Structure formats: structure tokens, C-alpha cells
Amino acid sequence: MLWGRKWSAEARVAEGPEDEGFRAAAVGCLDGLYGFALTLSRDRATAEDLVQETYVRAFAAHRRPGPDENLRGWLFTILVNIWRNERKRRRPEAVADLEAATGGLPSQGPDPHAVLDQREQREAIRSALETLPEAFREVVVLRCVEGFSYQEVASIAGCPAGTVMSRLARARALLRLALAPRASAAPRAPLTLVPGRGGRS
Amino acid sequence: MIACDAFRRHISPYLDGELLGEDRAEFEAHVSGCAACRESLEAERAVVEAIRRALPLHQAPPELRVWVEGIAARGRPAGPSARRGLRALGHPLVVAASLVACVLAGSALLREPGLRPSAARPSSAPRPAGAFAALAVDTHLRHERGQLPLEVRSEAPAEVSRFFEGRVPFHLTLPDYPVERGETKPYRLVGGRLVAFDGDYSAYVAYHMDDRPISLLVTAAERVRPEGGEAVVSGGLTFHIESRAGLKVITWTDKGLTYALTSDLAVAGNRSCMVCHGSAEERRKLEGL
């Protein structure tokens, strides 16, 4: 199996046509899966391939999460396992091309200024995330973007919950450093971090 | 009293709602009396909030969404080629005879003199229509699901046209065909909105025909070159017809604008299209189809 044991242990055998609900719910995870894939790979084409492969495997799977089980966690676990297997085949990490990867980002809105502000926010966060090691990017996106619990993050990432906690703390500290200069350099920037000082006595 | 370093390890779980019970109470008690830990807490909270405000960070590209919805509709991958679904999107698709109705509708609409482009602004070479058609289908589906509200809601073509004025890099005047006394238009304009495409806005116009949604996505011709699908020539124009995510989408270029018409029309006949959009002259042109 390609996904974590916890998810597969909770899975059930798919039952024919009535799994339409499963497929619809799976499609509802698309944006999150794509964002996670992009965070891991930092390459749009790779992210799209990862997402495609995730859905192909999910829909072809004989055992799937039931209606009350954690479909999102199962899908994210499939994706992260595909990524890790793929990465083993690539010696260097995929070259970062986050600018090119923003082509499919939310950009529809009635107010150009609001769109611009949102873009600035996203750009700043994405740029800051890009500076983090992959293990940190992974936990930040799973927790702060996707809202998984520590235990769920641990299952997806394949590490203890305590490791998730420490990685999150370190990742946020690094993010704060990466974001702070931007906040001070651009008064209009929406990323005003509070308080503005270092945070340690 | 626990040392500050030990407390700071609790900051992340505290902010994430993972610090519970006595541990949480102890932490809060400490922070209330320790300025340094409070400062650390607020610093990390600021990062969490900054991320939260920036959400959603990413959205899947329309082409990928169409592909995923397609595979979801089938239930299982069609075969090995499904692994390269995005590339498969450009494959020619079988066109149902009923799509002729849509072609006629599109043809009649675009031939209406009221739909006229302004002078095209200079641009690089046009892109193939695949991304544009995918965006049209994606926007159509999202609007239908209530995920993408219209920015102008009106049945008055003039009002919807005014909304687009100055917001899109081309001139768009929606036609307003007169109906005979006692006759009811079988279609209804619902409204429109802007949709980002190729670094600028395109115009999305929503209609209803017999309570079924039809939409038109319009952009400047220099941005998109229609291609792919089945090519049907009518009235001197070439329509490219294909199926995406269970919908019919037709792309074509006329008078400096490129259109993508999206609908789920399956059985509508030529009559409805010609009644809605066709002048007598247009009907004669379309009889050959």
C-alpha cells in the first residue's frame, strides 16, 4: 500500500456505484492536494502530475475510507508517498519555480485592489514557505493551511506527533524571520506581524 | 514554576488548540505573568494569523480541475492513458448531433452586429484554445454550483454590457433581440462577471434556456487561437466542438473576439437557437447545417 497504515487500516472495500459520494468528496480536496503538491515539489508540472497520480490511485483503489473516515488524510497520504517515491528517483530537488507555479492561483475578484492585496499576501507567504526545508514546509501546510490535527499530520508525514510539534515551532520561527523584513519595508503590506520585535527576552 | 524554555515548547500546540486541560491552564497562567513568553506567543500567533489571512494559498489550475472531475465522473481511470490526463484533453472528441444546436446558437450570437470588439491591443502570439475552453467549463461549473457569484445580475443586455465596459480589454455589447408581440424569449440573460485569463480579464456571461445554464466566455482574439475538437464550418466561421467534464464547449473567433460557449444542451433543436438569436438572414445561413 502506498498510504499510511493508519489510513489503510480504516479503509473499507469500495461498493460499486454508490461511491459517487466518495468521488465527489475526493474532488472537493483538489485545491488542497494541489497546494500541498506544489509546496512539496515547488514545480507546477510536477504538482499537477502528483495530483493526477493521486486521483488515479485513489479511484482505482479497492479499499477506500468510509463516509465517516478521513478521506482527506487518506488522499494526502497517497500524495506524499507518491512524492517521496518520485523524489528518490530525482537526485536534486526540483528546481523552484514558484512564480511560474502561480498561474493557477485564485485571481478572480471584483476589486483589483483587493486582488492585489491578496496576491501580495499570498506571494509573501509562498516566498517565505519556499525558504523552508521540505520537512518544515510539509508540516506547515498540513497544519496551518489544511488544518489537520497533529496526529493526522504525523500520520501523513510519517513521523511522531512530537516531531510535528517541534517542526512547526521551528518552521514558524523561520517564517517569522522571512516575513518580518517585508512587513517593515512595506507599510501597506498586509503581513504586519505583531509584535514587531524579536520575541525573546 | 516551569522554566520559560519548557513553556515555549507549548506555544505551537497552544495556538493550534492541541494543548488541553491542566497543561493549557498552566501555560496560560505562566504567560499572563511572563512578558517574554507572552511576546514569543504573540510573535508566533502573528505568523499563524498571517498565513490564515493569505488563504487560500493555491488553487488547482482549471485544466487540472476539469481532468479530475472527468476521472471522478467515470469512477475509475479509463486506462493507462489516464495518467497523462492533461495531455489527453486535447484529443478529438466525438460530437453529438445535438451540439449542432449550440453551434447555431453561437453562430447567430456572434454574427450579431452588436457584438463588436474594439481595436485589439498588441500582444504576443495567441495561445491554443485548450486552456481557454477549460477555463470556460470550470467557470461554468463553479457558477452553476454557486461557488462563483456573478458580479452583475441583470436580464438587461445593456446593463451587463455596461458592467464590462472598461473592465475588459475589448468592447462587448450584448445583443438584445426583439421578440414578436405575444412571443416569449426561450432564453434569459442572467448576468456576468470577470474571470482572470492570461494576465487580464475575460468576460463571463450567463444565460438560462429552459432553466438550463448556458454560458459564454469572451476574450480578445489575439490571446487565444481556437483549435482542437471537431471543426465545423458554418457561415464562414470555424467552430471547434469538444466535450469537457460532461459539458459541450464550442470555441470560435469572429471579429477580433474569441468565444467559448459552454452548455449541457443535449436535445435542444435548431429551432431554439434560431428563435433566440437568429435574424431571418442568419436562419437562412444556418439552414445548410
Side-chain angles (χ1 to χ4, degrees):
Chain A
M1 303 291 274
L2 290 165
W3 47 89
R5 288 179 184 171
K6 293 198 175 188
W7 307 124
S8 59
E10 294 170 356
R12 65 177 176 82
V13 176
E15 295 175 1
E18 80 281 7
D19 64 355
E20 282 180 15
F22 159 79
R23 296 198 296 266
V27 172
C29 299
L30 172 59
D31 285 337
L33 287 168
Y34 176 73
F36 186 48
L38 201 53
T39 299
L40 292 175
S41 66
R42 299 191 293 188
D43 178 77
R44 180 175 180 171
T46 304
E48 290 182 358
D49 284 349
L50 280 171
V51 171
Q52 283 188 307
E53 189 66 22
T54 298
Y55 278 101
V56 166
R57 295 190 189 187
F59 291 148
H62 294 293
R63 293 172 59 82
R64 304 170 178 177
D68 300 325
E69 294 169 336
N70 195 331
L71 170 65
R72 288 177 67 238
W74 182 70
L75 290 171
F76 276 74
T77 304
I78 293 175
L79 190 148
V80 80
N81 280 301
I82 295 170
W83 165 244
R84 286 184 178 142
N85 288 333
E86 174 66 18
R87 199 182 46 182
K88 285 178 189 170
R89 299 195 301 109
R90 304 177 178 204
R91 276 192 294 269
E93 195 170 15
V95 176
D97 187 10
L98 214 54
E99 284 303 312
T102 61
L105 297 175
S107 56
Q108 297 161 354
D111 180 354
H113 296 294
V115 169
L116 183 63
D117 283 349
Q118 276 207 322
R119 283 178 179 170
E120 287 177 352
Q121 275 188 318
R122 293 191 186 107
E123 282 302 324
I125 294 293
R126 283 195 300 252
S127 298
L129 273 172
E130 193 183 357
T131 66
L132 302 183
E134 181 184 315
F136 288 7
R137 298 198 303 271
E138 183 179 59
V139 296
V140 166
V141 169
L142 289 174
R143 172 58 216 172
C144 303
V145 176
E146 295 303 320
F148 285 110
S149 70
Y150 282 14
Q151 194 55 53
E152 289 171 324
V153 174
S155 292
I156 295 169
C159 64
T163 304
V164 171
M165 189 170 70
S166 61
R167 283 180 185 172
L168 261 180
R170 292 169 65 192
R172 285 168 175 167
L174 291 171
L175 281 175
R176 173 170 164 70
L177 290 174
L179 293 170
R182 181 186 179 85
S184 60
R188 276 189 69 250
L191 293 162
T192 305
L193 300 179
V194 180
R197 298 187 299 276
R200 287 187 70 91
S201 60
Chain B
M1 180 72 72
I2 305 175
C4 285
D5 282 349
F7 267 119
R8 285 179 185 151
R9 284 202 296 272
H10 289 163
I11 288 176
S12 287
Y14 176 78
L15 290 171
D16 291 324
E18 300 256 355
L19 192 64
L20 304 171
E22 286 183 11
D23 289 343
R24 187 175 185 88
E26 233 178 346
F27 176 82
E28 288 175 340
H30 174 81
V31 166
S32 67
C34 176
C37 283
R38 200 160 52 244
E39 198 170 3
S40 296
L41 172 65
E42 294 308 317
E44 187 163 332
R45 192 199 304 275
V47 173
V48 172
E49 287 297 309
I51 296 172
R52 187 187 58 76
R53 284 196 302 270
L55 297 180
L57 286 182
H58 302 292
Q59 189 177 52
E63 300 94 329
L64 181 62
R65 180 172 297 281
V66 168
W67 184 88
V68 169
E69 288 172 343
I71 193 177
R74 290 193 302 273
R76 286 172 186 276
S81 63
R83 290 168 184 271
R84 303 305 308 170
L86 288 178
R87 294 176 195 174
L89 283 176
H91 291 177
L93 300 167
V94 176
V95 180
S98 60
L99 267 181
V100 172
C102 300
V103 177
L104 298 181
S107 175
L109 181 61
L110 69 91
R111 301 291 287 178
E112 163 60 30
L115 270 176
R116 59 184 187 276
S118 65
R121 66 181 180 78
S123 175
S124 55
R127 301 168 57 185
F132 187 63
L135 177 64
V137 170
D138 183 64
T139 307
H140 180 98
L141 288 170
R142 288 184 182 217
H143 172 230
E144 199 180 340
R145 293 177 192 140
Q147 298 169 338
L148 206 59
L150 298 176
E151 292 172 281
V152 56
R153 295 189 70 88
S154 172
E155 294 188 26
E159 187 177 344
V160 177
S161 300
R162 273 198 302 276
F163 167 78
F164 289 118
E165 200 170 338
R167 289 185 166 95
V168 292
F170 48 85
H171 184 67
L172 181 66
T173 302
L174 300 174
D176 191 5
Y177 290 96
V179 294
E180 299 293 334
R181 182 177 298 174
E183 184 183 1
T184 304
K185 281 186 182 178
Y187 78 104
R188 179 171 62 85
L189 174 63
V190 181
R193 67 163 292 138
L194 302 174
V195 177
F197 176 72
D198 196 22
D200 212 323
Y201 282 124
S202 57
Y204 176 80
V205 186
Y207 294 88
H208 267 179
M209 178 185 288
D210 298 329
D211 289 323
R212 299 161 78 177
I214 301 173
S215 67
L216 197 62
L217 192 64
V218 188
T219 189
E222 73 264 30
R223 292 184 179 278
V224 177
R225 180 183 63 251
E227 65 177 24
E230 180 178 335
V232 176
V233 178
S234 174
L237 301 172
T238 302
F239 301 89
H240 296 265
I241 309 166
E242 56 187 310
S243 296
R244 286 174 179 264
L247 296 170
K248 316 300 182 190
V249 57
I250 304 168
T251 52
W252 72 95
T253 289
D254 186 36
K255 300 177 182 174
L257 294 182
T258 293
Y259 304 81
L261 178 74
T262 305
S263 76
D264 65 349
L265 290 180
V267 294
N270 299 356
R271 178 195 59 81
S272 62
C273 303
M274 289 187 276
V275 169
C276 290
H277 303 288
S279 64
E281 182 184 355
E282 292 295 339
R283 285 198 289 272
R284 278 194 298 275
K285 287 181 182 177
L286 300 171
E287 281 169 1
L289 290 177

